[in-house]
Amino acid sequence: MRNCKIYVAAVLAVVLCACKGKKEALTVLSGEEFFTSGLAEVSGRLVNDNRFWNERLNGLVGGFYIFKDDVITGESQIHPFSSDFGDKSFHDWIRIPSPRIVMIRGQKVTAPDIYLEGGKNLIMEVDIKTGDCVFSGELGPVNRELQESPKMTALDEINRRIESDSTFTPAEAYALYESADSVWRRELEVYLSSGRVSEVGKRILGNAPVFQKAYWLMQHEAFLKPESAEDYSPLREAMLVDDSYLLSQRWPGGLVKNLAMSDLLKRLGKERHAGKATDYRTAVLRYLERFDELGRFLRVDGMPLLAQLAVSRTLCTGGLLEKSAGIEEALAIVDTVARTYLPSPVVRNAVGHYARKIFHKDRYEVRDTPEGKMLKKILAPYAGRHVIMDFWMGSCPPCIREMRDTREMREKYRGNQDWVILFVTGEDVTPKDEYEKISAKYLQGDETLLLDSCTYRRLSAMFDVEGVPRKVLFGRDGAVLDEDYSLDRRGVDADSPQL
């Protein structure tokens, strides 16, 4: 297995370092600002942690993970936290493409879902046994509001009966849901009118029942067997809500996925065209025309954001773009589809970015965020040259093997003015004595960098480095050309080094 996943069990202690977050108040985001990717800082401590140290695994038994997704493209990721076995502390950064509620899960770990924003910090003290959590930091207030808000307590029992009770009928499920939903909506209305909830909290919670009901319907579509437009009215209601903060809830990612793969869309697209399409772009457009039928079926004009997200997910993680003959065809499909189905420039740009990324033809400038400035400082000594930044860790056999196998090639091209490989690791994953030993044995004469824990975790979070070895290719001007570069490929880009 090429990648050596950086799980908690494989990572050494993380020290809570003095990287302080900003102190300005949390504000409501609008427009493109909502979809601006950034790093969310999460730190804190685990209380009543009954996990144990396993010498054979050389780590903690019972992981602590954040499950996050990109609502536009459908890409999902599991981000493992490392925690100090001595004081149970943790400190990490997570790349967030837009404000999101993410899930924290793990063996022997119970914790609430948390709300994150790029550029903001959250401090949390998690009771592993009870799941109780004390929040502070910039994102502390809104997370307390979400934690204290009324919940639809009967939902888990309804879902359990759908999954395991063979005598449970769709009519009974609908009746129980409607009753519980009615109570929840009244309780939420009282809570939101209490004056204790921030504007961000109101934006997240205000239409939560609308989205949850639509998600529940589409999640259990096979059991509930909706057929008429009236049966799908919760989906229509969610389509008609126009507020980007609804996408920060935990349901939209699942709702978009279930809509894109729904029986409804399959049924609406059946027998629409006779004969085979003459080319792949036409075939994709025919496939997406079922969204026209969806609008007519639900009596919804245009392409609401929820429908656009279902289209973008179908194109991206649904695999339609990856089946293209090449980058030119993929971008032509994006351009053609966008005219009708992706009126939002944010969604359209994200899909185009995804297309270029999968064909290793992407290019973007590093923004002047704190992390961006930090990265530019690291790259400054190599201005005018391509830089292949190689992330590695001492306990990763594939990393060491690759260092050994590429040594002859590196020595052959050493000193050239076109490109350089910069081997980067951090003190928390490769202690200094181990770094010096490996560098002397495998990287003598190469460019290497041992970063402090804070800097390494922020840098790796910028590129979602969850497994190593991992390489990022930068152009001569410092622009990112490829977030997942491979030395095995040739001619990745017209402006990339020809190795």
Side-chain angles (χ1 to χ4, degrees), residues 138-198:
E138 292 167 299
L139 298 173
V142 69
N143 274 282
R144 285 195 297 271
E145 293 166 1
L146 299 180
Q147 183 176 237
E148 295 167 357
S149 67
K151 308 295 189 297
M152 189 174 171
T153 55
L155 184 58
D156 287 342
E157 175 61 18
I158 296 171
N159 290 339
R160 185 196 66 78
R161 293 191 65 183
I162 289 175
E163 298 295 332
S164 61
D165 187 348
S166 60
T167 65
F168 198 47
T169 67
E172 290 175 308
Y174 276 121
L176 287 176
Y177 190 96
E178 292 294 341
S179 176
D181 181 60
S182 178
V183 172
W184 182 36
R185 288 175 186 252
R186 288 197 299 271
E187 292 176 341
L188 261 180
E189 186 178 354
V190 172
Y191 180 71
L192 293 175
S193 62
S194 65
R196 303 194 309 268
V197 186
S198 66

Side-chain angles (χ1 to χ4, degrees), residues 354-373:
Y354 182 91
R356 291 187 295 271
K357 183 172 66 173
I358 61 176
F359 286 99
H360 302 282
K361 297 289 185 179
D362 197 19
R363 176 189 172 89
Y364 65 88
E365 304 295 328
V366 177
R367 295 185 296 118
D368 279 333
T369 60
E371 290 76 27
K373 292 177 181 178

Side-chain angles (χ1 to χ4, degrees), residues 264-316:
L264 174 60
L265 275 182
K266 292 174 185 176
R267 188 167 71 244
L268 292 175
K270 195 173 183 180
E271 299 179 356
R272 179 175 175 81
H273 294 284
K276 291 186 177 180
T278 55
D279 58 81
Y280 186 63
R281 181 167 27 168
T282 302
V284 171
L285 285 174
R286 284 188 178 185
Y287 184 87
L288 294 179
E289 281 176 356
R290 62 190 65 194
F291 285 94
D292 297 325
E293 297 292 337
L294 177 67
R296 284 189 281 271
F297 178 75
L298 295 177
R299 302 184 305 281
V300 174
D301 295 329
M303 285 294 292
L305 184 56
L306 184 60
Q308 292 184 60
L309 296 175
V311 169
S312 65
R313 189 192 188 284
T314 302
L315 288 171
C316 299

Side-chain angles (χ1 to χ4, degrees), residues 54 72-73 107 122 127 229 263 278 283 300 422:
N54 187 301
I72 297 180
T73 65
Q107 184 184 8
L122 174 64
D127 190 314
D263 291 338
T278 55
V300 174
L422 175 60

Side-chain angles (χ1 to χ4, degrees), residues 347-487:
V347 178
R348 183 167 60 248
N349 291 340
V351 175
H353 173 74
Y354 182 91
R356 291 187 295 271
K357 183 172 66 173
I358 61 176
F359 286 99
H360 302 282
K361 297 289 185 179
D362 197 19
R363 176 189 172 89
Y364 65 88
E365 304 295 328
V366 177
R367 295 185 296 118
D368 279 333
T369 60
E371 290 76 27
K373 292 177 181 178
M374 175 189 72
L375 173 61
K376 289 179 180 180
K377 186 175 181 180
I378 292 174
L379 295 175
Y382 313 103
R385 302 163 74 185
H386 291 91
V387 177
I388 302 169
M389 185 172 287
D390 193 327
F391 291 88
W392 65 282
M393 59 186 290
S395 60
C396 167
C399 299
I400 306 302
R401 184 165 56 249
E402 191 174 85
M403 291 175 187
R404 182 191 63 220
D405 293 345
T406 61
R407 177 156 47 188
E408 184 176 335
M409 179 272 294
R410 300 197 313 271
E411 290 176 349
K412 178 181 178 181
Y413 291 99
R414 186 168 294 153
N416 76 87
Q417 295 305 304
D418 183 49
W419 60 273
V420 62
I421 301 177
L422 175 60
F423 291 90
V424 177
T425 190
E427 291 176 336
D428 55 330
V429 295
T430 309
K432 187 175 181 181
D433 57 345
E434 187 176 10
Y435 163 79
E436 292 175 346
K437 180 179 178 181
I438 292 173
S439 296
K441 187 173 182 178
Y442 298 104
L443 301 175
Q444 196 168 38
D446 289 302
E447 296 290 327
T448 64
L449 196 58
L450 176 64
L451 300 173
D452 64 84
S453 299
C454 276
T455 303
Y456 179 77
R457 292 209 163 272
R458 290 168 69 189
L459 183 63
S460 59
M462 288 182 70
F463 305 104
D464 282 328
V465 177
E466 307 298 352
V468 292
R470 169 78 177 277
K471 298 171 185 62
V472 178
L473 175 64
F474 298 90
R476 293 182 179 87
D477 58 355
V480 179
L481 301 183
D482 193 342
E483 288 193 8
D484 192 12
Y485 182 72
S486 172
L487 288 174

Side-chain angles (χ1 to χ4, degrees), residues 6-248:
I6 310 177
Y7 290 115
V8 173
V11 183
L12 299 177
V14 174
V15 179
L16 284 175
C17 40
C19 295
K20 302 298 183 182
K22 299 176 182 178
K23 297 302 180 184
E24 68 265 19
L26 191 65
T27 57
V28 172
L29 303 176
S30 59
E32 292 190 10
E33 187 181 17
F34 182 87
F35 292 100
T36 301
S37 178
L39 301 189
E41 181 182 3
V42 184
S43 61
R45 194 169 67 90
L46 305 176
V47 181
N48 290 325
D49 188 0
N50 60 356
R51 297 176 300 167
F52 61 91
W53 186 262
N54 187 301
E55 294 292 347
R56 183 176 63 83
L57 295 176
N58 190 32
L60 285 170
V61 175
F64 182 33
Y65 309 98
I66 277 187
F67 290 74
K68 65 189 183 81
D69 64 347
D70 187 315
V71 183
I72 297 180
T73 65
E75 297 169 280
S76 60
Q77 192 174 48
I78 301 175
H79 179 94
F81 272 95
S82 54
S83 58
D84 188 287
F85 183 69
D87 64 8
K88 313 294 186 182
S89 63
F90 56 89
H91 192 188
D92 226 325
W93 284 262
I94 302 99
R95 183 162 79 172
I96 301 294
S98 63
R100 295 289 288 124
I101 289 179
V102 299
M103 295 186 293
I104 298 179
R105 296 292 183 269
Q107 184 184 8
K108 298 184 179 181
V109 175
T110 301
D113 298 340
I114 58 174
Y115 171 80
L116 297 179
E117 271 190 32
K120 300 293 190 295
N121 68 76
L122 174 64
I123 304 170
M124 50 193 296
E125 187 173 277
V126 185
D127 190 314
I128 294 298
K129 289 183 179 179
T130 65
D132 293 337
C133 193
V134 177
F135 295 111
S136 57
E138 292 167 299
L139 298 173
V142 69
N143 274 282
R144 285 195 297 271
E145 293 166 1
L146 299 180
Q147 183 176 237
E148 295 167 357
S149 67
K151 308 295 189 297
M152 189 174 171
T153 55
L155 184 58
D156 287 342
E157 175 61 18
I158 296 171
N159 290 339
R160 185 196 66 78
R161 293 191 65 183
I162 289 175
E163 298 295 332
S164 61
D165 187 348
S166 60
T167 65
F168 198 47
T169 67
E172 290 175 308
Y174 276 121
L176 287 176
Y177 190 96
E178 292 294 341
S179 176
D181 181 60
S182 178
V183 172
W184 182 36
R185 288 175 186 252
R186 288 197 299 271
E187 292 176 341
L188 261 180
E189 186 178 354
V190 172
Y191 180 71
L192 293 175
S193 62
S194 65
R196 303 194 309 268
V197 186
S198 66
E199 289 303 313
V200 172
K202 290 177 182 177
R203 295 285 286 272
I204 297 171
L205 293 169
N207 287 300
V210 174
F211 260 51
Q212 179 167 295
K213 190 173 185 179
Y215 172 56
W216 179 77
L217 172 71
M218 303 308 292
Q219 181 186 27
H220 300 293
E221 190 181 17
F223 172 82
L224 297 172
K225 296 181 174 59
E227 293 184 359
S228 67
E230 181 62 28
D231 293 336
Y232 281 99
S233 59
L235 178 60
R236 181 177 188 272
E237 189 177 1
M239 289 271 196
L240 295 175
V241 173
D242 184 22
D243 188 339
S244 56
Y245 269 87
L246 292 176
L247 305 182
S248 66

Side-chain angles (χ1 to χ4, degrees), residues 324-343:
S324 302
I327 181 62
E328 291 78 13
E329 183 177 59
L331 291 178
I333 288 173
V334 173
D335 183 60
T336 304
V337 169
R339 295 171 196 167
T340 304
Y341 301 104
L342 301 177

